[in-house]
Amino acid sequence: MNVSPVAAPIAAQAPSRPTVGVLALQGDVSEHVAALEHCGAEPVLVRRASELAAVDALVLPGGESTAISKLLEVFDLLEPLRARLREGMPAFGSCAGMILLASEVLDTRPDAQHLFGIDMTVRRNAFGRQVDSFEVDLAFHGLDDGPMRAVFIRAPWVERAGADVEVLATVPDGPFAGRIVAVRQGNVVATAFHPEVTGDLRVHEMFVDLVRAA
Ligand code: GLN
């Protein structure tokens, strides 16, 4: 007689703990590390290609995009990072990270490099000198439990979002009403503001969920 194997009982599945790199060349690395830890990911610092090769996803922090661009070249990370993004690695960039993920950047240095992670044109330091930094409560698409406090520090905005780019947030009112400040294309997310500094970790949670699903 044929006895079919008895299925093993299904263990209660703990959510997986994906390894998420934080590009650690310059910028607010430790804030992202803390946020990722809190969201159940395993954060690791990425400074070399071997470290990049070992992560499931990458966060590009806020900082100075032209400095990070230069360091990407110095550390031989530019082409490996472009390649991983082409292959579909999930990524999240805040502020300078958004600039780096763009396919085109306005008002940057002519020698600054970017990563073509999202089909968008980003204007660097777009909000201008008079308003170096500001905060606003905005609605973030897909995060339904209330508005999000968004902190902008010499922030960029998205001047053109490609046809496959989903707009996740815009400035709600004031002189910059309607400006695009958060986007997603596939598994790549970018915000012009800094969710890593407010204690509201919903963007990081959403990103870690996206990494788990990828
Ligand atoms: N203005 C910076 C740049 O051009 C970005 C600022 C930030 O990341 N807070 O890279």
Side-chain angles (χ1 to χ4, degrees), residues 70 87 97-98 104 108 125 133 160 191-192:
K70 182 121 269 158
E87 291 155 9
M98 168 185 259
E104 186 185 17
T108 191
N125 299 338
S133 303
R160 180 195 62 86
T191 61

Side-chain angles (χ1 to χ4, degrees), residues 89-181:
M89 176 185 68
F92 165 46
S94 63
C95 202
M98 168 185 259
I99 296 169
L100 288 161
L101 285 170
S103 53
E104 186 185 17
V105 181
L106 306 176
D107 292 342
T108 191
R109 291 170 53 111
D111 60 346
Q113 306 288 343
H114 38 272
L115 298 166
F116 306 96
I118 295 179
D119 174 21
M120 63 177 171
T121 303
V122 168
R123 187 176 293 279
R124 190 169 157 250
N125 299 338
F127 293 93
R129 288 242 163 103
Q130 304 89 314
V131 276
D132 246 10
S133 303
F134 66 101
E135 299 185 17
V136 69
D137 290 320
L138 48 75
F140 197 103
H141 185 74
L143 303 181
D144 296 327
D145 36 350
M148 166 165 295
R149 188 81 181 155
V151 175
F152 294 85
I153 304 167
R154 290 187 301 286
W157 66 45
V158 177
E159 198 140 316
R160 180 195 62 86
D164 297 331
V165 176
E166 186 188 355
V167 174
L168 298 177
T170 56
V171 177
D173 44 38
F176 304 113
R179 288 295 179 183
I180 300 170
V181 289

